[in-house]
Each structure stands twice: as structure tokens, then as C-alpha cells.
Amino acid sequence: MSAISLNPPASGTESRGRILCVDDEPNILRALSWLLQKDFEVVTAAGGDEALALVRRDDFDVVISDQRMPGMSGVDLLREVKAIAPRAMRILLTGYADVQSVLRSVNESEIFRYVAKPWSVTELPKLVAQAAAIARRHPAGAPIAGDLPAPDGKGSILVLDGDPATHALVEVAAGDVAEIVHVSNVVDAVHCLIDREFSVLVAETHLGPSIEISRFICLLKQRHPRLVAVVLAEDSATDTVARLVNQGQIYRFIPKPAKAGYLRLALRSALVKAEQLHAQGELVKRHAVDALDTEEAARLEADLALAQSLVRVSPAPSDAPPPGNRLARAWRRFFGTGRA
Amino acid sequence: MQFRLVRYVTVTSLAFFLLAALAMVYFYRQVALTNMLHLQEAANVNVTRVFANTLWTARFVPFLAESDGLSSPELKNNSQIQEIHRTVLDLMRGGTTYKVKVYDRRGRTVYSSELAQIGEDKSGNSGFQGAMAGQTRTELVHKEKFSAFEQVVENRDLIQSYIPQYNGREIAGVFEVYSDVTPFLGEIAATEKKLVAGAAVAFGALYLALFLIVRRAEGIIVGQNRERDQAQQQLAQSEKMASLGQLVAGVAHQLNTPIAFSLSNVALAIASLNRMALPLRVAAHLAENVRRHPGVDSVRLNLNRSRGLITAVDCDDAEAALAARMLGDVQNGLEQMRELVENLRDFTRLDRAKVVGTDLNRALRTVIYIAKSAIPGRIQMVEDFTELPLLECNPSQLNQVFLNLINNAAQAIPYEGHIRVRSRVEGREIRVDVIDSGGGIPQDVMPHIFDTYFTTKAAGVGTGLGLPIARDIVRNHGGELRVTATSSLGTTFTVTLPLTSGGEPPPASRP
Ligand SMILES: Nc1ncnc2c1ncn2[C@@H]1O[C@H](COP(=O)(O)OP(=O)(O)OP(=O)(O)O)[C@@H](O)[C@H]1O
Ligand SMILES: [Mg+2]
């Protein structure tokens, strides 16, 4: 356990941050404070209401909350914290979360990290230290909520999706407030991002049955930190979303099928967020991401090359039916097949 | 019992085909006979005309006038008869006419080609009367024995016509002509046979087509039924898996908490112990030093050698106490895990097949413990038990019943609320109530809640199997499951189980 002794004991005069831990399990709270008390000033709360009272009274750098608690859930608590104390970095620490609460943790609570229980005794203090440092050095910008200031129209959106319906939907939702560029494969997306800067990226996590690109979105986000990522995807598995949060700091995750009105709100808010990031450059630091490990990054590059060759050769699908089947198909259409 | 479509179609269609064939033959025969009668009548009229032309004015008119005054025997022996008879025979030879008779206006036979009949009175005969009224009467008759003009013939079908004969404007007499239609009838019968054969072939073909169509349709229907059954089975299976998954997720969460803090604490405690190694070494060194000099008040420390070590000691006695507390929490966590595993074991009871004397309160406690891990924390579970005698039952099945009821109760509570589980002995029964503070069951839903696959919940949340399965299990135990109260303030489901093992023992296991 040399890693722990790497953390030098706090010098006593000044801790590296004030941390609020919230969980309904006293055992968990004790374990967290034992783990963190050497380096940080740790305050604990046994529930959402107690935590909110503390946040109102005191100033915290980081709030770590469990998701499942009687009374207020972690997601709800962190959303409130975001409004009351926007400077505090929010971390959701949970053993199990249903899809719905994971989505809300992204879209409503805008959490910094999603940490699974059991946590790593080496990683968690590092993460908290990072979060605390960010909170101290880079206070948050004005919260984006309620009546959105209309985006100034200089924004631009890059849409990466294989499904034409999504492109149409984005066009409907934000065609009037931003310039929209449509691409349907990773290669084009990379080229577009090299050529110019975009404010917002709208992307699907799957570009076909076998092309999963959530890691790629994370990679893009690391290369272009100022890009505000909105994921509009069919697959909203908990761990995919968690990865997109931790390694991609995505701004919104919208499960398909998305309603145009909701998408419109999300895109507007994303455009405003992009303007904010543009105006206050160091705000970007609040959205620092976990690096992909090198092996993964290398594999990604290889995939990219593969994708390139795939895209070039894909021919237009022919839709003329084989003539011999025509009669059989007409027969089936007239009588049905008797199979549901 | 499945409906046998092919059999049904075969029997009914064959019956109808038979009916149709019979009707066809019947109508054919009617039409053919009518046609034949008309034809033969016309033929007989012609025959009569021939007789009339050759005989009437020349012979019969004077003969009739003369016979008026004669008695029947006199008539028979009248000299003119022989002459008339010869002429008649001449005319009849070679034709199908078997017999000719002539009546006078009073109905007396003045002539018959069968001479013995001359003089007979036929005034009561309806054919004669009809002819006297001016109509030509024709009918088909069958004669077993018939004396035709030259011989006696047997078993013939004959057409008998009464034809009025006029003298100026008034009827002077009546001809009766018999002609043989046996060959005609033979032809009709032969045609009938052909018709029957034709109908058999046509209807056979029709039936074959029908059979093929229906058999294919039945194949499709059977296939669809099988698919539907499979889909329902799959649904049931996936429902089982879903509730199992929910349970497992809840249990995993429950296990995860002690695992998380124990892992963290153990790591910290180990680090802490590692830090204590040096102070312990220093302390041991000091102790050794002291032990080596018994009975002295002070010992010398050679700081040259140990200064580095001793100054490196950086921990207070609180550290050991802290490590002990951390490990105390770990012990606590392990205790929690042990409890969970014990409850899980009680809940599933690997001795599934057995019927055993069970303390239902203990079973209920287990179910509540398990359910708690799966239902949201905002819902409070209340145990309201009284001492119960042991019940002969299959505990794992009853666990399933109570888990279903508690799950339903939890799903009926949208926000904060409580679920009370109450156990009582009432007479010779154990009564368990599951009382929730949920939204109640609407009146229009109430009649259906025990129906298989009836659910008001979203797909994936409920499949509508919970209550029907629960009721099945309770009934197999000789008991009953019902709703004893429901309003907007909540619902009470009541399970009653008889204590007397009078009924047959509950079955070993459910499919
Ligand atoms: N405690 C309750 N309060 C209100 N409604 C209830 C309650 N219990 C059952 N119901 C109603 O009865 C219906 C049938 O219940 P049942 O347990 O058979 O199926 P389900 O709960 O919908 O699905 P499943 O149990 O298979 O997951 C439910 O959909 C619900 O509408
Ligand atoms: Mg149910």
C-alpha cells in the first residue's frame, strides 16, 4: 500500500480542499472520511437535506454523493448543489444506478465524475485532489438555466450520425440558431474538426451495428477540449454513459428517439455553453477528462484507418428486387404469411 | 381439446355434397319424367289421330250410335267388333302402343284391343271424367302384368292417356291409349347413374381443393398458436428473469456497500500497520534494552546507531486506535454480508421440493429483508407479527407469494409510504395481510387483477403473472388470496392458510 503513504500528511495549517461526503450508510461515510481526512477537510452528511443545509451555510470544493438514499436521491442533491454552489465539483459515487438516474446525472446535475463503488483507495484521493484544485483555480461561469439567452448565431454544430433522420432532426431543432455540418462517418468528422473549429458536436455512439464510437467521442473531446459534446444515442447503457462522462465530459446525453423540442433546448444550452467556454478560456479546465489509456488510443487509431477504408468502398445499396421473387412476394402480400 | 378443422370441414362438406347430389338427381328425374310424359302424350294424341282418321268417322261414329241401345254381352258379340279389331291391330303393329280402348259418353267400354274388356263400365274413372271435361289426361303407371294386344307382358312402365274425341263441337267418346315407355325410363335411369358419377367426380375435386386449402389454413393456424404459446412462455420466462434480475441487482447493491467500505478500510488499516512497523521496531529495541538491564534506574541509548530510526517515528497512539476502529467497521461489514447470505439461503431454500413445518414469521422476515434491498428506500417496511404455530407448507413457494405481494405494494407507492406485513392466527387459519399505502386498485381494474398477463404496468416492469401465480400457490396450499380492502389510501392483500393438514398436501414444486 505504498500509494497511500505517497500522500503526505496534511501540513495542518491548510488542507487541499473542503470535501462534503453524502451517504445514508454511516459505515461508508466513516470509510470516506478516513480515506480523505489526511489531505482534505472532510464533512459528512447522512442525507440530501442535511447536505443541502451544509452547502448553503459553508463553501465546499467537492461534493461526493451516493445515488440511492432514502428521501432525496444523489442526482437530485447534486442538481441542487449545482444551483446553490456552482463552484463545487460534483462527483456521483454509486454501486448501482438505473439508466434514468445516470442520464439525469449527466443532463441535470452535470457531474464531473461518475465513480463506482467499491472505489479505488489510490484513485479516489487523486480524483478528489484534482477536482478540488480545479474548483479552487477555476470558479464556474454563470449557470445556464431557465430562459436561455439566445445563442448569437455564430455557433456551429457538427452532426456525426449514420441515420439521416437524426440529421433532419438536428436541422429542425437548431437550423435557425447555428450553422450545421453533417457527416456520417468518423473520417469526415476528423477532417472537419481539423479544418475548422466547431462549437458543438452532436454524435451517436454507434455508426452501424458493429461500429461503437463512444471511445472515439472521448478522444475527440480530449483533442478539442472546447468542443461541447451532445450524445444523441440509441444505446444508453449505464457504463457507456459513465465512460462518456469520465473520459469525454459530455454535456448532454439524449436517448433516442429524441423529441425535437427537448433537443432544441439541449442544443441551445450547448451553444450557450460553447460561447461561455470561448469567452472564458479557463472554464475548460473544469471539464478536464480522464485520459484514455495508451493501448486503447492506439487501437482507436487502427480502427480509424479501418473505418477509412470501409467508408471509401461502401457502394450504394441496390433496391431492385430479384425478379423471380416478385410473384412470391405479391402472393405473400395478398394473402399474408400467417407468421406474426 | 383443440378444434379439428379438417375433420369438421370434411364431415360437413361431404354431407352437403351428398345433399346437393341427391337434389340434382331428383330434379333431373322430375324434369326428365315431365318431358317424357309430354312427349308421350303428344305421341298418344298422334296415335289417336291416326285411329281417328282411319276408324272414327268410318267405324266408331256409326258403331257408337248403334251400341247405344245394346247391352254389354250383345256389344261383345257385335259383328262389327271383329272388323274394327283387325284394323286396330294392323295400325298398332310395330309401334309402342300396347292397347287402345274406346268409351262412349256414359263411360262404357265399347271397344278394347283386349276384347274381354268390352262392355266394362269405366264411368267412375278420373281419367275418363277428365277427358269428358275436355282435357287430355296422361299418367305414368307401372304394371306388373299387362295383357297387350298380342301377348301378356310383365313389369312394364306405361303411359296411359285419355283423349276426348269430338263429333263436331261435342264430345262423342273417349280414346284410351297405352304406350310402353320402359326403354325410356331405362335411359333416364342410365343418365341418372352418369349424373351421379359426374357429381361424385365434380364434388370430389371440389372437396379435394377444399381439403387442401383447409389443411394449409389449419397448418398456419396451428403454427400461429404454437408461436403465440411460445411467445407467452418466453414472456413468462423473461418475467421470471426480470424479477430475478431485480432481486439480484438489489442483493448486489446490498453486498456492494459493505464490500466498498471494507475494502477501503482494510487498505487504510494495512497502510497504517505498515507505518507502525518502524515505531514497533524502535519500541521493541527499547524494551529489549530495558529487559537486558534489570534493576537499574536508567539505561544508555546509543543514539549514534538509532537516532535515524527513532526520529523517523512519526505516529501517535491514536493511529492504532483508528486502525482498530477501521477494522471494527470491516468486521461489521462482514457481519452484514453474513446476514445477507443467510437470508438469501433461507429465501431460496435449496430443499425446494420439500414440505416442511415452517415458522411463517421467519419466512416473512426473510422476504422483507430481501425485498428491502430491491425496493426504494423511501418506502418503509413495517413488521407486525404475532406468534404463529408451525405451518406445513412449501416455504420457497410461499416466499414467492409474499415477495410478489410486497413488490406489487411497492410499485403502487409513487412517493413516500409504508408497507405493513401483519400475521395473525384466526381460528384454524393463519392470516397474513400485506397492507400498502399506495394508490389503490381502480374499480375497472379490480375484476382483472388475477387474470394471467393482465397488467397496468409498462412493458418491462410488469407482465401480469405475479398475482395469478401467487393465487395458484396459495390455493395449492388449500388457502386463499384476496383483496380485502382497497381505496385511494391503499390496498390490503390477504393470504389465509389452513393450519389443519386436512386437505391434500401442497404439491412438491411448480413448473
Ligand atoms: N398493491 C396494489 N395496489 C394497486 N394495484 C395493484 C396492487 N397489486 C396489484 N395491482 C394491480 O394488479 C395488476 C396485476 O398485478 P400482477 O402482480 O398480477 O402483475 P404486475 O405486477 O403488473 O406484473 P408482474 O407481477 O408480473 O411483474 C397490476 O398491474 C396492478 O394494476
Ligand atoms: Mg406484480
Side-chain angles (χ1 to χ4, degrees):
Chain A
M1 287 291 113
S2 57
I4 288 186
S5 42
L6 278 182
N7 293 331
S11 53
T13 49
E14 196 217 356
S15 78
R16 283 154 62 193
R18 276 172 64 78
I19 318 295
L20 174 61
C21 298
V22 192
D23 199 309
D24 59 319
E25 276 285 332
N27 286 313
I28 293 275
L29 287 180
R30 272 204 295 279
L32 282 176
S33 51
W34 284 330
L35 176 64
L36 299 173
Q37 70 191 2
K38 283 210 197 85
D39 307 321
F40 310 97
E41 193 181 328
V42 181
V43 179
T44 62
D49 295 320
E50 191 185 335
L52 280 183
L54 284 168
V55 169
R56 283 202 187 89
R57 211 172 52 223
D58 263 340
D59 194 24
F60 290 97
D61 299 309
V62 181
V63 179
I64 303 173
S65 174
D66 182 30
Q67 162 58 13
R68 272 168 56 130
M69 296 182 289
M72 191 182 296
S73 76
V75 169
D76 290 329
L77 168 66
L78 293 182
R79 189 191 52 216
E80 293 302 309
V81 168
K82 186 183 104 180
I84 299 168
R87 195 182 68 81
M89 301 297 277
R90 299 167 296 275
I91 295 175
L92 196 63
L93 176 69
T94 176
Y96 162 85
D98 52 300
V99 177
Q100 213 50 40
S101 53
V102 174
L103 290 184
R104 289 180 51 223
S105 71
V106 178
N107 296 336
E108 296 175 23
S109 318
E110 293 180 10
I111 58 170
F112 176 63
R113 286 292 182 274
Y114 182 97
V115 178
K117 273 184 200 167
W119 58 85
S120 147
V121 282
T122 54
E123 298 301 324
L124 187 62
K126 282 190 213 161
L127 175 64
V128 174
Q130 183 192 15
I134 290 173
R136 295 199 154 182
R137 256 173 261 144
H138 312 287
I144 305 172
D147 310 317
L148 290 178
D152 61 8
K154 283 187 293 231
S156 50
I157 300 177
L158 179 65
V159 186
L160 169 58
D161 196 321
D163 180 7
T166 308
H167 293 279
L169 190 67
V170 173
E171 201 62 63
V172 169
D176 53 339
V177 289
E179 179 199 348
I180 301 179
V181 175
H182 302 277
V183 293
S184 60
N185 62 66
V186 169
V187 184
D188 291 350
V190 171
H191 286 312
C192 282
L193 286 166
I194 289 170
D195 290 348
R196 55 173 288 196
E197 194 177 342
F198 282 89
S199 343
V200 175
L201 168 73
V202 175
E204 162 67 284
T205 52
H206 287 82
L207 285 186
S210 59
I211 310 176
E212 204 273 340
I213 60 159
S214 67
R215 284 183 183 79
F216 172 74
I217 295 173
C218 298
L219 192 73
L220 276 189
K221 183 65 189 169
Q222 287 174 7
R223 287 190 186 167
H224 308 273
R226 271 201 286 192
L227 193 61
V228 176
V230 174
V231 175
L232 185 59
E234 204 106 42
D235 161 44
S236 45
T238 315
D239 35 354
T240 311
V241 183
R243 172 172 341 106
L244 286 167
V245 168
N246 294 352
Q247 302 185 332
Q249 271 292 288
I250 57 168
Y251 182 64
R252 291 286 184 267
F253 189 107
I254 304 173
K256 281 181 183 172
K259 297 215 174 63
Y262 183 65
L263 184 61
R264 184 176 181 79
L265 277 182
L267 288 180
R268 279 174 166 243
S269 128
L271 286 166
V272 172
K273 178 82 185 178
E275 275 168 28
Q276 251 183 22
L277 290 183
H278 198 74
Q280 301 164 258
E282 83 268 19
L283 266 188
V284 168
K285 299 268 165 39
R286 286 187 66 86
H287 301 287
V289 293
D290 284 352
L292 297 166
D293 59 48
T294 43
E295 194 184 315
E296 210 163 45
R299 209 171 48 229
L300 223 58
E301 301 289 348
D303 283 354
L304 211 68
L306 183 71
Q308 198 151 11
S309 61
L310 274 182
V311 169
R312 291 239 169 98
V313 295
S314 74
S318 82
D319 50 6
N325 287 342
R326 221 174 252 163
L327 200 67
R329 282 194 311 145
W331 173 277
R332 275 198 296 273
R333 207 173 316 133
F334 194 73
F335 293 108
T337 54
R339 228 147 271 129
Chain B
M1 184 73 175
Q2 207 199 339
F3 181 62
R4 298 258 171 64
L5 185 61
V6 170
R7 282 185 195 185
Y8 174 75
V9 167
T10 304
V11 171
T12 49
S13 65
L14 282 184
F16 276 98
F17 288 165
L18 202 68
L19 217 67
L22 284 177
M24 253 169 68
V25 169
Y26 174 75
F27 282 119
Y28 166 74
R29 159 166 276 186
Q30 287 302 310
V31 169
L33 284 180
T34 320
N35 272 346
M36 189 191 68
L37 275 181
H38 282 311
L39 270 173
Q40 283 304 314
E41 187 176 288
N44 284 358
V45 170
N46 280 340
V47 168
T48 313
R49 203 164 288 137
V50 171
F51 282 106
N53 284 346
T54 37
L55 291 174
W56 188 255
T57 20
R59 299 280 190 196
F60 281 114
V61 173
F63 183 60
L64 276 174
E66 184 191 325
S67 73
D68 234 9
L70 295 178
S71 69
S72 296
E74 286 168 339
L75 196 59
K76 256 184 204 164
N77 301 324
N78 191 289
S79 57
Q80 289 191 45
I81 295 282
Q82 287 309 319
E83 221 169 313
I84 293 174
H85 190 56
R86 214 175 304 121
T87 326
V88 167
L89 290 190
D90 279 347
L91 287 170
M92 274 168 45
R93 191 162 292 127
T96 55
T97 309
Y98 269 22
K99 194 184 208 175
V100 175
K101 281 188 184 183
V102 179
Y103 302 103
D104 64 10
R105 287 155 53 119
R106 284 174 302 169
R108 195 162 58 143
T109 313
V110 291
Y111 170 75
S112 168
S113 51
E114 194 185 342
L115 294 172
Q117 288 179 333
I118 294 177
E120 279 178 6
D121 180 34
K122 280 290 183 88
S123 56
N125 185 294
S126 68
F128 168 77
Q129 284 168 357
M132 283 305 290
Q135 290 158 0
T136 301
R137 281 293 180 89
T138 302
E139 59 191 306
L140 181 66
V141 291
H142 183 80
K143 298 264 171 169
E144 287 301 334
K145 212 177 197 127
F146 188 74
S147 42
F149 65 104
E150 274 176 328
Q151 78 267 44
V152 170
V153 293
E154 284 183 348
N155 207 6
R156 297 311 262 186
D157 292 298
L158 302 164
I159 296 274
Q160 181 184 32
S161 303
Y162 291 88
I163 302 154
Q165 209 53 50
Y166 291 87
N167 201 1
R169 300 216 53 176
E170 72 180 280
I171 295 172
V174 173
F175 261 99
E176 185 185 351
V177 179
Y178 284 89
S179 51
D180 183 20
V181 291
T182 313
F184 270 108
L185 282 184
E187 257 170 57
I188 290 179
T191 315
E192 251 170 32
K193 270 183 206 136
K194 279 187 208 148
L195 196 66
V196 167
V201 170
F203 286 140
L206 204 60
Y207 169 71
L208 194 70
L210 210 63
F211 174 79
L212 290 177
I213 291 169
V214 168
R215 202 181 55 172
R216 184 168 144 71
E218 190 180 53
I220 290 173
I221 291 170
V222 166
Q224 279 175 340
N225 282 350
R226 199 178 309 121
E227 269 166 38
R228 201 189 49 217
D229 287 353
Q230 271 170 5
Q232 290 199 335
Q233 266 168 18
Q234 264 170 17
L235 198 67
Q237 190 60 33
S238 71
E239 130 83 34
K240 268 188 195 162
M241 285 310 293
S243 56
L244 190 69
Q246 222 180 2
L247 205 80
V248 169
V251 168
H253 179 75
Q254 190 118 331
L255 265 179
N256 207 34
T257 301
I259 286 177
F261 68 73
S262 299
L263 274 181
S264 182
N265 287 357
V266 166
L268 292 180
I270 288 173
S272 198
L273 284 177
N274 283 341
R275 273 198 303 282
M276 276 177 235
L278 178 63
L280 285 176
R281 237 175 89 198
V282 172
H285 185 71
L286 266 178
E288 178 61 28
N289 212 344
V290 171
R291 236 180 325 221
R292 243 188 276 141
H293 305 280
V296 280
D297 286 347
S298 61
V299 292
R300 288 169 59 85
L301 261 180
N302 186 351
L303 285 177
N304 278 343
R305 260 176 50 213
S306 55
R307 185 188 304 272
L309 273 181
I310 291 173
T311 52
V313 169
D314 174 32
C315 86
D316 47 22
D317 53 354
E319 175 129 18
L322 187 63
R325 280 182 64 204
M326 287 176 182
L327 291 178
D329 269 14
V330 171
Q331 196 176 21
N332 193 334
L334 289 173
E335 189 60 37
Q336 281 181 26
M337 294 188 225
R338 189 190 61 75
E339 190 187 354
L340 179 65
V341 168
E342 208 159 83
N343 273 297
L344 272 181
R345 202 179 49 212
D346 273 4
F347 183 78
T348 44
R349 300 288 294 231
L350 293 176
D351 49 352
R352 257 180 181 282
K354 281 211 204 96
V355 173
V356 286
T358 308
D359 175 9
L360 218 51
N361 281 341
R362 213 187 122 178
L364 286 172
R365 225 167 254 131
T366 305
V367 174
I368 291 171
Y369 182 94
I370 297 286
K372 259 187 196 163
S373 64
I375 66 181
R378 58 188 155 77
I379 297 171
Q380 214 189 328
M381 300 271 339
V382 185
E383 294 176 7
D384 176 1
F385 296 164
T386 51
E387 194 83 12
L388 298 178
L390 292 188
L391 176 73
E392 284 290 313
C393 67
N394 180 326
S396 67
Q397 286 186 5
L398 287 184
N399 285 345
Q400 196 186 347
V401 170
F402 296 124
L403 187 70
N404 275 337
L405 294 181
I406 291 173
N407 268 339
N408 279 351
Q411 284 167 345
I413 302 175
Y415 307 108
E416 272 80 44
H418 61 263
I419 301 170
R420 219 159 70 141
V421 180
R422 193 168 61 184
S423 67
R424 294 274 182 280
V425 179
E426 277 188 4
R428 296 298 300 154
E429 282 181 340
I430 288 182
R431 172 185 171 133
V432 178
D433 297 303
V434 178
I435 307 159
D436 68 60
S437 65
I441 307 175
Q443 249 177 13
D444 54 323
V445 169
M446 194 65 186
H448 306 294
I449 56 169
F450 290 105
D451 295 351
T452 314
Y453 299 117
F454 174 84
T455 180
T456 55
K457 294 162 194 171
V461 179
T463 47
L465 286 173
L467 286 178
I469 288 178
R471 179 175 253 186
D472 258 17
I473 293 174
V474 174
R475 285 189 174 164
N476 284 338
H477 281 80
E480 187 52 277
L481 164 66
R482 42 181 168 247
V483 181
T484 43
T486 183
S487 72
S488 58
L489 297 179
T491 306
T492 304
F493 276 85
T494 301
V495 176
T496 50
L497 294 161
L499 275 169
T500 41
S501 47
E504 72 270 40
S509 67
R510 287 180 50 79

